[in-house]
Coordinates of all heavy atoms in Angstrom, one line a residue:
T253 N 32.8 32.6 31.7 CA 33.5 33.5 30.8 C 32.5 34.4 30.0 O 32.9 35.3 29.3 CB 34.3 32.7 29.8 OG1 33.5 31.8 29.1 CG2 35.5 32.0 30.5
V254 N 31.2 34.0 30.0 CA 30.2 34.7 29.3 C 29.2 35.3 30.3 O 28.6 34.5 31.1 CB 29.4 33.8 28.3 CG1 28.3 34.6 27.6 CG2 30.4 33.3 27.2
F255 N 29.0 36.6 30.3 CA 28.1 37.2 31.2 C 27.0 37.9 30.4 O 27.2 38.6 29.5 CB 28.8 38.2 32.1 CG 29.9 37.6 32.9 CD1 31.2 37.6 32.4 CD2 29.6 37.1 34.1 CE1 32.2 37.0 33.1 CE2 30.7 36.5 34.9 CZ 31.9 36.4 34.4
Y256 N 25.7 37.5 30.7 CA 24.6 38.0 29.9 C 23.5 38.4 30.9 O 23.2 37.8 31.9 CB 24.1 36.8 29.1 CG 23.0 37.1 28.2 CD1 23.1 37.8 27.0 CD2 21.7 36.6 28.5 CE1 22.0 38.1 26.2 CE2 20.6 36.8 27.7 CZ 20.8 37.6 26.5 OH 19.7 37.8 25.7
R257 N 23.0 39.6 30.6 CA 21.9 40.1 31.4 C 20.7 40.4 30.4 O 20.9 41.0 29.4 CB 22.3 41.4 32.0 CG 21.2 42.0 32.9 CD 21.7 43.1 33.8 NE 21.6 44.3 33.0 CZ 21.9 45.5 33.4 NH1 22.2 45.7 34.7 NH2 21.8 46.6 32.7
E258 N 19.5 39.9 30.8 CA 18.4 40.0 30.0 C 17.3 40.7 30.7 O 17.0 40.4 31.9 CB 17.9 38.6 29.6 CG 16.8 38.5 28.7 CD 16.5 37.1 28.3 OE1 16.1 36.3 29.2 OE2 16.6 36.7 27.1
I259 N 16.6 41.7 30.1 CA 15.5 42.4 30.8 C 14.3 42.2 29.8 O 14.3 42.7 28.7 CB 15.8 43.9 31.0 CG1 17.0 44.0 31.9 CG2 14.6 44.6 31.6 CD1 17.5 45.5 32.0
V260 N 13.3 41.5 30.3 CA 12.1 41.3 29.6 C 10.9 41.7 30.4 O 10.7 41.2 31.5 CB 11.9 39.8 29.2 CG1 10.7 39.5 28.4 CG2 13.1 39.4 28.3
N261 N 10.1 42.6 29.9 CA 8.9 43.1 30.7 C 9.3 43.6 32.1 O 8.5 43.3 33.0 CB 7.8 42.1 30.7 CG 7.3 41.8 29.3 OD1 7.3 42.6 28.5 ND2 6.8 40.5 29.1
G262 N 10.4 44.2 32.2 CA 10.8 44.8 33.5 C 11.5 43.8 34.4 O 11.9 44.1 35.5
K263 N 11.5 42.5 34.0 CA 12.1 41.5 34.9 C 13.6 41.2 34.4 O 13.8 40.9 33.2 CB 11.3 40.2 34.8 CG 11.9 39.1 35.7 CD 11.1 37.8 35.6 CE 11.7 36.7 36.4 NZ 11.2 35.4 36.1
E264 N 14.5 41.3 35.3 CA 15.9 41.2 34.9 C 16.4 39.8 35.3 O 16.1 39.3 36.4 CB 16.8 42.2 35.7 CG 18.2 42.1 35.4 CD 19.0 43.2 36.1 OE1 18.6 43.6 37.2 OE2 20.1 43.5 35.7
T265 N 17.1 39.2 34.4 CA 17.7 37.9 34.6 C 19.2 38.0 34.3 O 19.5 38.4 33.2 CB 17.1 36.8 33.8 OG1 15.7 36.8 34.0 CG2 17.6 35.4 34.2
K266 N 20.1 37.5 35.2 CA 21.5 37.6 34.9 C 22.1 36.1 34.7 O 21.7 35.2 35.5 CB 22.3 38.3 36.0 CG 22.0 39.7 36.2 CD 22.8 40.4 37.3 CE 22.4 41.8 37.4 NZ 23.2 42.4 38.5
Y267 N 23.0 36.0 33.8 CA 23.6 34.7 33.6 C 25.1 34.9 33.6 O 25.6 35.8 33.0 CB 23.2 34.1 32.2 CG 21.7 33.9 32.0 CD1 20.9 34.9 31.4 CD2 21.1 32.7 32.4 CE1 19.6 34.7 31.2 CE2 19.8 32.5 32.2 CZ 19.0 33.5 31.6 OH 17.7 33.3 31.5
A268 N 25.8 33.9 34.2 CA 27.2 33.9 34.2 C 27.5 32.4 33.8 O 27.3 31.5 34.6 CB 27.8 34.2 35.6
L269 N 28.0 32.2 32.6 CA 28.1 30.9 32.0 C 29.6 30.6 31.6 O 30.3 31.5 31.1 CB 27.2 30.8 30.8 CG 25.7 31.1 31.0 CD1 25.0 31.2 29.7 CD2 25.1 30.0 31.9
C270 N 29.9 29.3 31.7 CA 31.2 28.9 31.1 C 30.9 28.8 29.6 O 29.8 28.8 29.1 CB 31.7 27.6 31.7 SG 30.6 26.2 31.4
S271 N 32.0 28.7 28.8 CA 31.8 28.6 27.3 C 31.0 27.4 26.9 O 30.2 27.5 26.0 CB 33.1 28.7 26.6 OG 34.0 27.6 27.0
D272 N 31.2 26.3 27.6 CA 30.5 25.0 27.2 C 29.0 25.2 27.5 O 28.1 24.8 26.6 CB 31.0 23.8 28.0 CG 32.4 23.5 27.6 OD1 32.9 23.8 26.5 OD2 33.1 22.8 28.5
C273 N 28.6 25.7 28.6 CA 27.2 25.9 28.9 C 26.5 27.0 28.0 O 25.4 26.9 27.6 CB 27.0 26.3 30.4 SG 27.4 24.9 31.5
A274 N 27.3 28.0 27.7 CA 26.8 29.1 26.8 C 26.5 28.5 25.4 O 25.4 28.7 24.8 CB 27.8 30.2 26.7
N275 N 27.4 27.6 24.9 CA 27.2 27.0 23.6 C 26.0 26.0 23.7 O 25.2 26.0 22.8 CB 28.4 26.2 23.2 CG 29.5 27.2 22.7 OD1 29.2 28.3 22.2 ND2 30.8 26.8 22.9
A276 N 25.9 25.3 24.8 CA 24.8 24.4 25.0 C 23.4 25.1 25.0 O 22.4 24.7 24.4 CB 25.0 23.5 26.2
M277 N 23.4 26.2 25.8 CA 22.2 27.0 25.9 C 21.8 27.6 24.5 O 20.6 27.7 24.2 CB 22.3 28.1 26.9 CG 22.1 27.5 28.3 SD 22.1 28.8 29.6 CE 20.4 29.4 29.4
E278 N 22.8 28.0 23.7 CA 22.5 28.5 22.4 C 21.9 27.5 21.5 O 21.0 27.8 20.7 CB 23.8 29.1 21.8 CG 23.5 29.8 20.5 CD 24.8 30.4 19.9 OE1 25.9 29.9 20.1 OE2 24.6 31.5 19.2
K279 N 22.4 26.3 21.6 CA 21.9 25.2 20.8 C 20.5 24.8 21.2 O 19.6 24.6 20.4 CB 22.8 23.9 20.9 CG 24.1 24.1 20.1 CD 24.9 22.9 20.3 CE 26.3 23.2 19.6 NZ 27.3 22.1 19.9
E280 N 20.2 24.8 22.6 CA 18.9 24.5 23.1 C 17.9 25.5 22.8 O 16.7 25.2 22.4 CB 19.0 24.3 24.6 CG 19.7 23.1 25.1 CD 19.9 23.2 26.6 OE1 19.3 24.1 27.3 OE2 20.7 22.4 27.1
N281 N 18.3 26.8 22.9 CA 17.4 27.9 22.8 C 18.0 28.9 21.8 O 18.5 29.9 22.2 CB 17.2 28.5 24.2 CG 15.9 29.2 24.3 OD1 15.2 29.4 23.3 ND2 15.6 29.6 25.5
G282 N 17.9 28.6 20.5 CA 18.6 29.4 19.5 C 18.4 30.9 19.6 O 19.4 31.6 19.3
S283 N 17.3 31.3 20.0 CA 17.1 32.8 20.1 C 17.6 33.4 21.4 O 17.6 34.6 21.6 CB 15.6 33.1 19.9 OG 14.9 32.6 21.0
F284 N 18.1 32.5 22.3 CA 18.5 33.0 23.6 C 19.7 34.0 23.5 O 19.6 35.1 24.1 CB 18.9 31.8 24.5 CG 19.4 32.2 25.8 CD1 18.4 32.5 26.8 CD2 20.7 32.4 26.1 CE1 18.9 32.9 28.1 CE2 21.1 32.7 27.4 CZ 20.2 33.0 28.4
F285 N 20.7 33.7 22.6 CA 21.8 34.6 22.5 C 21.7 35.3 21.1 O 22.7 35.8 20.6 CB 23.1 33.8 22.6 CG 23.5 33.4 24.0 CD1 23.4 32.1 24.4 CD2 23.8 34.4 24.9 CE1 23.7 31.7 25.7 CE2 24.1 34.0 26.2 CZ 24.1 32.7 26.6
A286 N 20.6 35.4 20.6 CA 20.5 36.1 19.3 C 20.7 37.6 19.4 O 20.2 38.2 20.4 CB 19.1 35.8 18.7
D287 N 21.5 38.1 18.6 CA 21.8 39.5 18.6 C 20.6 40.2 18.0 O 20.1 39.9 16.9 CB 23.0 39.8 17.7 CG 23.4 41.2 17.6 OD1 22.7 42.1 18.1 OD2 24.5 41.5 17.1
P288 N 20.0 41.2 18.7 CA 18.8 41.9 18.2 C 19.0 42.6 16.9 O 18.1 43.0 16.2 CB 18.4 42.9 19.3 CG 19.7 43.1 20.1 CD 20.4 41.8 20.0
F289 N 20.3 42.8 16.5 CA 20.6 43.5 15.3 C 21.1 42.6 14.2 O 21.7 43.0 13.2 CB 21.7 44.6 15.5 CG 21.3 45.6 16.5 CD1 21.6 45.5 17.8 CD2 20.4 46.7 16.1 CE1 21.2 46.4 18.7 CE2 20.0 47.6 17.0 CZ 20.4 47.5 18.4
G290 N 20.9 41.3 14.4 CA 21.3 40.3 13.4 C 22.6 39.7 13.8 O 23.5 40.4 14.4
G291 N 22.9 38.5 13.4 CA 24.2 37.9 13.7 C 24.2 37.1 15.0 O 23.1 36.9 15.6
N292 N 25.3 36.7 15.4 CA 25.5 35.8 16.5 C 26.1 36.6 17.7 O 27.2 37.1 17.6 CB 26.4 34.6 16.2 CG 26.6 33.7 17.3 OD1 26.2 34.0 18.4 ND2 27.1 32.5 17.0
L293 N 25.4 36.7 18.8 CA 25.8 37.5 19.9 C 27.1 36.9 20.5 O 28.0 37.6 20.9 CB 24.7 37.6 21.0 CG 25.1 38.4 22.2 CD1 25.3 39.8 21.8 CD2 24.0 38.3 23.2
L294 N 27.2 35.6 20.6 CA 28.4 35.0 21.2 C 29.6 35.3 20.3 O 30.7 35.6 20.8 CB 28.2 33.5 21.3 CG 27.5 33.0 22.5 CD1 27.4 31.5 22.5 CD2 28.1 33.4 23.8
G295 N 29.4 35.2 19.0 CA 30.5 35.6 18.1 C 31.0 37.0 18.3 O 32.2 37.3 18.3
S296 N 30.1 37.9 18.5 CA 30.4 39.3 18.6 C 31.0 39.5 20.0 O 31.9 40.4 20.2 CB 29.2 40.2 18.4 OG 28.2 40.0 19.3
L297 N 30.6 38.8 21.0 CA 31.2 38.9 22.3 C 32.7 38.5 22.3 O 33.5 39.1 22.9 CB 30.4 38.1 23.4 CG 29.2 38.6 23.9 CD1 28.5 37.6 24.8 CD2 29.4 39.9 24.7
F298 N 32.9 37.4 21.6 CA 34.3 36.9 21.6 C 35.2 37.7 20.7 O 36.4 37.8 20.9 CB 34.3 35.4 21.2 CG 33.8 34.5 22.3 CD1 32.7 33.7 21.9 CD2 34.2 34.5 23.6 CE1 32.2 32.8 22.9 CE2 33.7 33.7 24.5 CZ 32.7 32.9 24.2
S299 N 34.6 38.4 19.7 CA 35.4 39.2 18.8 C 35.7 40.6 19.3 O 36.3 41.4 18.7 CB 34.8 39.2 17.4 OG 33.6 39.9 17.5
G300 N 35.1 40.9 20.5 CA 35.3 42.2 21.1 C 33.9 42.9 21.1 O 32.9 42.4 20.6
I301 N 33.9 44.0 21.8 CA 32.6 44.7 22.0 C 32.2 45.4 20.7 O 33.0 46.2 20.1 CB 32.8 45.7 23.1 CG1 33.1 45.0 24.4 CG2 31.5 46.5 23.3 CD1 33.4 45.9 25.6
S302 N 31.1 45.1 20.2 CA 30.6 45.7 19.0 C 29.8 46.9 19.4 O 28.9 46.9 20.2 CB 29.7 44.7 18.3 OG 29.1 45.3 17.1

Side-chain angles (χ1 to χ4, degrees):
T253 56
V254 177
F255 300 91
Y256 181 73
R257 184 170 83 170
E258 182 178 67
I259 301 172
V260 178
N261 295 330
K263 183 182 176 195
E264 179 181 25
T265 308
K266 293 182 181 180
Y267 299 93
L269 305 169
C270 65
S271 59
D272 295 337
C273 290
N275 288 329
M277 283 186 80
E278 186 178 29
K279 288 177 185 173
E280 291 170 10
N281 206 350
S283 64
F284 182 79
F285 286 110
D287 181 349
F289 300 98
N292 181 346
L293 182 63
L294 280 179
S296 63
L297 280 175
F298 291 124
S299 66
I301 298 173
S302 175

